[in-house]
């Protein structure tokens, strides 16, 4: 019996130890949590808000032009599509970046186009057919503009007054400035003008028409998913334009 009583007392002692030690540990944990909450609640020194960085527009990065070429393109495009009372011009719309991106891609390299000779002079109704890819035509055209500006005004094209820029672009349009053998100034001007208009009204995902300002000037709805809710209405409906990016984001 003595051995049984001794074993019973040891068992009870272990139970008491586990009971009280567990309560103590649990109490310490709970007390720590409460204390932490209390401390946080009483802490009046709030951390400063994190600085929000401005959203970076990755379309405003060159893929083909160097900085001088970008500046010449922006200055020339602004004279073709200038800012006025109706809205922003080519520079504000990011047209130069649209042109840059196009020249860096398939369009600038004449990909998937018939490129075999002969490359003879074409009729006026046939359009241009050149052995030189578009990105090279554009590069040489910009250099021709810069050379003409230095020759007449001893300044870069981007530094000229609007009237001086217009005089050079008019000479280019009339074919009075030769870009390179086989490429007239008129051919380059037509390419520049066409791409400027494209950049002003393209979907913003392609680099131009920044913030859809070109569409807003025209009250153009952009890339809407559907028109079923307004197609039977007689009055003109002004809609907030949507870009392809808006659909990708969802």
């Amino acid at each position: 019996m003595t051995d049984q009583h001794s074993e019973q007392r040891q068992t009870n002692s272990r139970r008491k130890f586990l009971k009280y030690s567990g309560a103590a540990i649990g109490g310490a944990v709970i007390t720590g949590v409460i204390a932490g909450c209390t401390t946080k609640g009483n802490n009046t020194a709030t951390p400063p808000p994190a600085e929000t960085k401005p959203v970076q527009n990755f379309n405003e990065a060159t893929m083909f032009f160097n900085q001088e070429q970008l500046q010449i393109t922006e200055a020339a495009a602004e004279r073709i599509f200038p800012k006025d009372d109706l809205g922003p011009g080519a520079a504000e719309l990011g047209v130069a970046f649209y042109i840059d991106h196009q020249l860096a891609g398939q369009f600038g390299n004449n990909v998937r186009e018939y490129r075999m000779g002969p490359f003879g002079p074409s009729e006026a109704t046939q359009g241009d057919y050149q052995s030189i890819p578009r990105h090279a035509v554009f590069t040489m055209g910009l250099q021709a503009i810069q050379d003409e500006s230095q020759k007449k005004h001893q300044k870069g094209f981007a530094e000229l007054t609007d009237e001086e820029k217009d005089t050079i672009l008019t000479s280019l349009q009339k074919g009075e400035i030769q870009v390179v053998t086989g490429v007239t100034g008129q051919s380059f001007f037509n390419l520049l003008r066409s791409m400027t208009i494209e950049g002003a009204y393209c979907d913003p995902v392609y680099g131009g028409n920044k913030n859809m300002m070109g569409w807003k000037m025209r009250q153009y709805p952009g890339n809407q998913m559907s028109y079923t809710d307004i197609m039977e209405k007689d009055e003109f409906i002004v809609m907030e334009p949507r870009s392809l990016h808006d659909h990708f984001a969802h």
Side-chain angles (χ1 to χ4, degrees), residues 110-122:
N110 298 72
V111 175
R112 301 181 70 178
E113 294 182 14
Y114 181 80
R115 302 295 297 152
M116 301 293 289
F119 298 97
S122 59

Side-chain angles (χ1 to χ4, degrees), residues 67-245:
Q67 284 302 307
E68 182 181 73
Q69 292 167 341
L70 182 70
Q71 291 169 5
I72 297 171
T73 302
E74 186 174 82
E78 180 67 18
R79 296 312 303 151
I80 294 173
F81 196 99
K83 180 179 181 178
D84 57 19
D85 296 337
L86 298 177
E92 193 174 349
L93 289 170
V95 166
F97 290 104
Y98 166 81
I99 295 175
D100 169 83
H101 297 354
Q102 293 300 306
L103 295 178
Q106 295 187 359
F107 177 82
N109 289 277
N110 298 72
V111 175
R112 301 181 70 178
E113 294 182 14
Y114 181 80
R115 302 295 297 152
M116 301 293 289
F119 298 97
S122 59
E123 298 295 330
T125 56
Q126 293 178 313
D128 293 325
Y129 181 64
Q130 302 159 346
S131 61
I132 305 172
R134 290 189 190 94
H135 69 81
V137 171
F138 214 96
T139 300
M140 291 184 288
L142 294 178
Q143 188 60 52
I145 290 176
Q146 189 77 332
D147 291 344
E148 186 73 10
S149 176
Q150 291 289 351
K151 177 182 175 181
K152 286 189 174 181
H153 306 286
Q154 294 74 52
K155 292 187 292 187
F157 183 79
E159 303 173 66
L160 302 182
T161 64
D162 290 345
E163 292 75 15
E164 291 169 340
K165 292 174 185 173
D166 290 347
T167 300
I168 291 179
L169 290 175
T170 300
S171 297
L172 194 71
Q173 183 180 20
K174 292 180 178 179
E176 297 172 353
I177 299 175
Q178 185 76 10
V179 174
V180 70
T181 302
V183 181
T184 65
Q186 187 176 30
S187 296
F188 169 64
F189 179 84
N190 291 338
L191 178 62
L192 172 63
R193 181 180 181 276
S194 176
M195 296 188 76
T196 296
I197 296 173
E198 289 174 14
Y201 297 117
C202 69
D203 192 287
V205 298
Y206 298 108
N209 189 17
K210 186 175 181 180
N211 296 327
M212 296 180 281
M213 291 187 290
W215 289 348
K216 291 174 182 176
M217 284 192 291
R218 297 281 185 172
Q219 294 184 328
Y220 178 68
N223 293 294
Q224 301 287 334
M225 290 294 289
S226 173
Y227 298 96
T228 54
D229 56 336
I230 64 167
M231 60 191 304
E232 294 185 1
K233 295 183 178 181
D234 295 329
E235 70 273 17
F236 181 79
I237 306 297
V238 178
M239 306 176 70
E240 188 68 21
R242 291 177 63 85
S243 165
L244 291 171
H245 176 270

